[in-house]
Amino acid sequence: MAAYAKGLDKLIFSLRSLRNLQLRNERGLSTSVCRPSPREDNDPPKFTPPPKPVVIDKTQTVASMRNPEFIPPRQRTDPFKFSMERKDMVRRRKVLNIPEFYAGSILAVTMADPNASGKMNRFVGICIQRGGKGLGATFVLRNIIDNQGVEICYEMYSPRIQSVEVLKLEKRLDDNLMYLRDALPEYSTVDPDMKPESCSTSGEVPVNKIKVRMLPKPWSKHWERPRFGIQGIRFDLCMTPRQMEFVQKWAQPWQEYDMLKEYDTSRLEEQIFSEVQREMSKNFLPHKVSKLNMRYFFAVKVTDPNEEQRRCCQTRMRSVCPVSPYRRCLHTAAAVIVIVSAVAIVAAVITATIDITSVSYLFALSPPNPRADKKIVLSLSLSERHNANNTNFTGTEETDMAWGGSGGDDDDDDDDDEYEEDEEEEEENHSLLEIICVYF
Amino acid sequence: MRLTLQMLISHGRVARKMGMGPQSRINMLRNILTGLVRHERIETTQARADEVRFYAEKLVDYAKKGDTDEKAMKMASFWLTEKDLVPKLFKVLAPRFESHPNGYTRMARIPCTQNLDRAKMAVLEYKGNPFPPIYPTKKQNELTLINQLLKGYREERAQLFAAKS
């Protein structure tokens, strides 16, 4: 032990002297063991105590603080999934400019809304939380409008979002400002007609060290507990020292030393952000993209709940994927093929007797393409009730309703022969055979 | 607290439950880790050895950062309950594993259970310890007939090869 102690002293001293030069550059430390500076002989060298060492414990890099949704969570999923997501995120970012913001910044978001007048709605609020990873990244904006607190959670990569502006860029003492719900309303009110403030000239984002006053208890969560680690509340006004001590009962001091909880993402981040920067610098397009063209015609089952909304906003919505001329040719070729096949199907159906299995086979031939924006709808619903042996598909503008409605109008006399033949088959296929295609 | 199903399902949980709660678990692991750093080879139950293994390797990673690093010193002083082992960690173990990027420990499960409770035991050690190895290498006996014949065969082959070239 004694040997250890001796060796320790010498070693530390030698280490310190070696590290002096290194440290001075990194941390701006000037210890007393440095070369004598040129001074006048009259004044004795003043002893200036060394400044306290600044411990810069950066587990998160700057880039990751700015865009935390790019860093994948600690999971067992294949990294390929995250790289695919990142590609899509970059593509979206090329079209829509998502600026840098933090919890505590004031944002204005305009979103496409079919029910609003002018088809857009704008919301201004303070960002209280940034959550989610990958394409599902969200941020929550809070504001108080007509004495009513409103929080809206926006998905950053949603195609409905038209623009995101930062009116005031700043950080707060915490990452999560959910406690503003229990704070006095003045801290959550943001003027909806606020003008964007100019950002600071230096690269650093200003930190607003405001400490918020709270409404009387009970709060929605126990914000005073150490598990939230909130710095931005004035606890001295709302809680007694005895209460503060009592709350320490829930403290888990061993958690900061638990190495299992640490997730060091520095290397991953370097890789990811270099990749993202490369992608962003490639083919940087201007923000205005051409209007949607009719691109794809094919048979695909539409199960989109936002169908109607999409129809309304079709002309306004920008396409996500830019299309090169080469691709356009391919698309038009594919379109032509599909038109021809559709016409062929229609002809076959009209002339020949309906063979349900053959119809379904023909439809299944054309491959589904998930990236269509405008689509044709053909819906043939064959059911007992509607006797839909008619095949009077005219290929005109879409009809949402099932064809079964118009099928009732037709006479059964013409179709008697066909009907008799197919009766046996129909009994087998009782279920609705719906082949819904995409519509214009 | 909202009792979600996620709380009952333990998908992806890496930390075992030990002792009487998370604090007790950490304290137990601390004690075992201190013992490991002091003796460099210890015998515990298999589950505890498996848990401590991760922490032992992470502790060495921190020790490699050097004792001037504030975080490393805090970690070492927390995990090693006997404070005279802190210099041992930084002066003996860290330099020993400087060339290794990872894998500083070895765990071997033990077959015999001398305990009354028939608990499965394991031995956990830091590599490079002064004790004889857990898996002793069996030396081939050169004086057996087959080994002698093989030796002769190898020598003949070597001679032929030398003669050709």
Side-chain angles (χ1 to χ4, degrees):
Chain A
M1 285 311 122
Y4 266 142
K6 273 190 202 167
L8 184 72
D9 285 336
K10 282 186 197 162
L11 208 60
I12 284 179
F13 184 80
S14 59
L15 275 173
R16 284 227 176 108
S17 54
L18 280 172
R19 281 171 205 257
N20 247 341
L21 296 164
Q22 218 183 9
L23 280 176
R24 221 185 305 151
N25 295 334
E26 287 170 14
R27 294 182 181 181
L29 266 181
S30 58
T31 61
S32 47
V33 188
C34 47
R35 57 182 189 273
S37 52
R39 248 175 246 249
E40 297 169 6
D41 293 329
N42 304 340
D43 302 333
K46 272 191 194 169
F47 173 69
T48 47
K52 276 196 179 167
V54 177
V55 178
I56 305 166
D57 189 25
K58 272 194 188 162
T59 45
Q60 281 180 307
T61 58
V62 176
S64 76
M65 295 289 281
R66 227 179 278 152
N67 301 312
E69 71 266 9
F70 279 102
I71 297 148
R74 203 176 176 189
Q75 275 179 359
R76 279 173 62 180
T77 45
D78 201 335
F80 182 62
K81 180 230 180 190
F82 298 121
S83 74
M84 284 207 293
E85 262 193 326
R86 258 175 271 134
K87 274 193 190 164
D88 286 337
M89 283 154 78
V90 163
R91 277 162 88 193
R92 179 65 185 159
R93 276 188 182 239
K94 284 182 186 170
V95 178
L96 170 72
N97 174 35
I98 299 174
E100 169 193 0
F101 65 95
Y102 303 90
S105 327
I106 297 175
L107 303 190
V109 173
T110 42
M111 192 170 74
D113 189 356
N115 305 317
S117 58
K119 302 293 178 196
M120 303 275 221
N121 69 28
R122 183 172 189 259
F123 185 74
V124 177
I126 187 166
C127 174
I128 53 176
Q129 177 185 274
R130 274 188 86 157
K133 301 282 180 195
L135 284 169
T138 56
F139 59 95
V140 181
L141 294 186
R142 179 182 168 83
N143 199 349
I144 298 191
I145 296 172
D146 293 340
N147 287 335
Q148 172 65 51
V150 176
E151 285 182 14
I152 304 188
C153 176
Y154 290 103
E155 289 187 12
M156 271 195 269
Y157 297 96
S158 162
R160 283 176 69 183
I161 291 186
Q162 305 300 308
S163 80
V164 177
E165 298 153 24
V166 171
L167 302 176
K168 187 174 183 188
L169 177 66
E170 66 174 9
K171 279 195 214 185
R172 292 279 193 112
L173 293 169
D174 315 300
D175 284 331
N176 202 312
L177 302 174
M178 285 288 172
Y179 56 82
L180 290 177
R181 291 170 182 167
D182 298 314
L184 293 175
E186 64 197 40
Y187 295 100
S188 315
T189 33
V190 175
D191 179 22
D193 302 318
M194 194 169 138
K195 299 289 170 213
E197 287 182 16
S198 60
C199 48
S200 62
T201 44
S202 71
E204 290 264 335
V205 176
V207 179
N208 188 354
K209 298 203 175 162
I210 191 170
K211 292 220 172 189
V212 145
R213 287 191 184 175
M214 303 292 277
L215 293 169
K217 278 196 168 191
W219 296 331
S220 56
K221 299 234 157 147
H222 296 279
W223 301 115
E224 71 277 9
R225 288 200 183 162
R227 88 164 237 254
F228 294 108
I230 291 178
Q231 304 294 316
I233 295 183
R234 284 212 63 182
F235 288 118
D236 51 337
L237 293 179
C238 43
M239 291 181 40
T240 59
R242 187 158 168 231
Q243 278 177 322
M244 294 299 294
E245 277 171 33
F246 178 70
V247 146
Q248 292 304 313
K249 186 169 103 172
W250 281 276
Q252 294 180 325
W254 61 87
Q255 258 193 2
E256 74 165 288
Y257 299 106
D258 192 350
M259 300 177 261
L260 204 60
K261 302 244 172 0
E262 285 163 21
Y263 183 34
D264 182 27
T265 50
S266 45
R267 275 190 207 161
L268 197 62
E269 277 165 31
E270 282 167 20
Q271 207 185 6
I272 288 172
F273 284 114
S274 61
E275 183 193 318
V276 163
Q277 268 181 358
R278 253 183 286 131
E279 293 282 314
M280 288 292 282
S281 50
K282 271 193 229 173
N283 325 325
F284 195 84
L285 293 177
H287 286 301
K288 285 204 173 170
V289 180
S290 59
K291 281 191 184 172
L292 294 172
N293 314 321
M294 227 157 47
R295 284 187 206 139
Y296 304 104
F297 314 74
F298 53 82
V300 147
K301 187 160 185 179
V302 169
T303 50
D304 196 345
N306 294 332
E307 255 175 74
E308 293 177 0
Q309 174 209 299
R310 201 188 291 177
R311 250 184 288 136
C312 296
C313 303
Q314 257 170 16
T315 48
R316 298 282 202 134
M317 293 225 284
R318 297 178 183 183
S319 68
V320 175
C321 49
V323 172
S324 68
Y326 171 65
R327 272 215 186 146
R328 280 220 180 105
C329 294
L330 280 182
H331 294 334
T332 47
V336 162
I337 289 167
V338 178
I339 289 175
V340 165
S341 65
V343 166
I345 288 161
V346 161
V349 159
I350 288 170
T351 53
T353 57
I354 289 184
D355 187 352
I356 296 167
T357 50
S358 69
V359 162
S360 60
Y361 178 65
L362 280 168
F363 271 97
L365 272 179
S366 40
N369 190 328
R371 289 190 301 154
D373 295 308
K374 284 203 182 182
K375 310 164 183 181
I376 309 177
V377 161
L378 275 182
S379 71
L380 284 182
S381 64
L382 304 162
S383 65
E384 286 178 338
R385 220 187 335 148
H386 297 297
N387 299 336
N389 286 334
N390 61 27
T391 51
N392 296 328
F393 168 67
T394 49
T396 49
E397 300 301 311
E398 45 77 32
T399 51
D400 257 6
M401 53 184 198
W403 273 86
S406 55
D409 299 331
D410 288 319
D411 299 333
D412 287 329
D413 297 334
D414 298 331
D415 297 333
D416 261 345
D417 301 332
E418 297 167 355
Y419 189 67
E420 277 165 15
E421 283 171 26
D422 293 325
E423 215 176 290
E424 299 162 0
E425 291 181 42
E426 266 214 38
E427 279 170 6
E428 289 166 11
N429 309 328
H430 285 304
S431 56
L432 265 174
L433 183 78
E434 272 185 291
I435 306 157
I436 308 170
C437 308
V438 190
Y439 56 100
F440 277 105
Chain B
M1 205 160 60
R2 193 168 160 210
L3 300 169
T4 57
L5 198 62
Q6 275 196 355
M7 276 168 49
L8 300 170
I9 298 175
S10 81
H11 282 183
R13 309 269 173 106
V14 281
R16 283 184 182 80
K17 286 191 194 181
M18 276 164 39
M20 300 175 311
Q23 189 173 18
S24 164
R25 169 180 171 270
I26 292 275
N27 288 337
M28 238 205 281
L29 294 176
R30 255 206 290 192
N31 292 334
I32 300 172
L33 188 53
T34 308
L36 177 65
V37 171
R38 179 181 283 285
H39 301 112
E40 298 198 22
R41 181 188 281 184
I42 55 171
E43 182 185 323
T44 55
T45 57
Q46 281 178 12
R48 287 176 200 172
D50 196 42
E51 288 283 302
V52 170
R53 205 168 172 202
F54 173 82
Y55 288 100
E57 305 206 338
K58 285 286 169 183
L59 190 66
V60 171
D61 279 330
Y62 268 108
K64 277 190 187 176
K65 291 188 187 177
D67 59 357
T68 45
D69 193 32
E70 310 255 344
K71 183 103 200 269
M73 194 45 103
K74 270 169 67 175
M75 281 284 179
S77 61
F78 175 81
W79 280 99
L80 299 172
T81 49
E82 289 155 26
K83 302 305 166 190
D84 50 339
L85 293 173
V86 172
K88 180 187 173 187
L89 176 73
F90 285 106
K91 304 291 176 264
V92 175
L93 290 181
R96 191 199 286 180
F97 297 120
E98 224 159 313
S99 48
H100 292 52
N102 54 6
Y104 317 117
T105 56
R106 200 180 281 128
M107 185 170 106
R109 288 184 240 181
I110 291 177
C112 308
T113 48
Q114 290 138 356
N115 312 336
L116 188 66
D117 59 0
R118 303 285 298 274
K120 301 201 177 166
M121 301 299 272
V123 158
L124 187 63
E125 62 165 18
Y126 273 120
K127 291 183 185 169
N129 61 57
F131 306 113
I134 306 177
Y135 297 110
T137 49
K138 280 190 188 168
K139 284 188 199 148
Q140 300 285 330
N141 186 5
E142 253 201 14
L143 302 172
T144 57
L145 176 64
I146 293 178
N147 282 345
Q148 286 285 305
L149 290 171
L150 283 171
K151 188 176 164 189
Y153 173 71
R154 278 188 219 113
E155 278 170 10
E156 275 180 20
R157 276 279 295 270
Q159 277 172 10
L160 278 173
F161 192 69
K164 267 193 190 174
S165 60

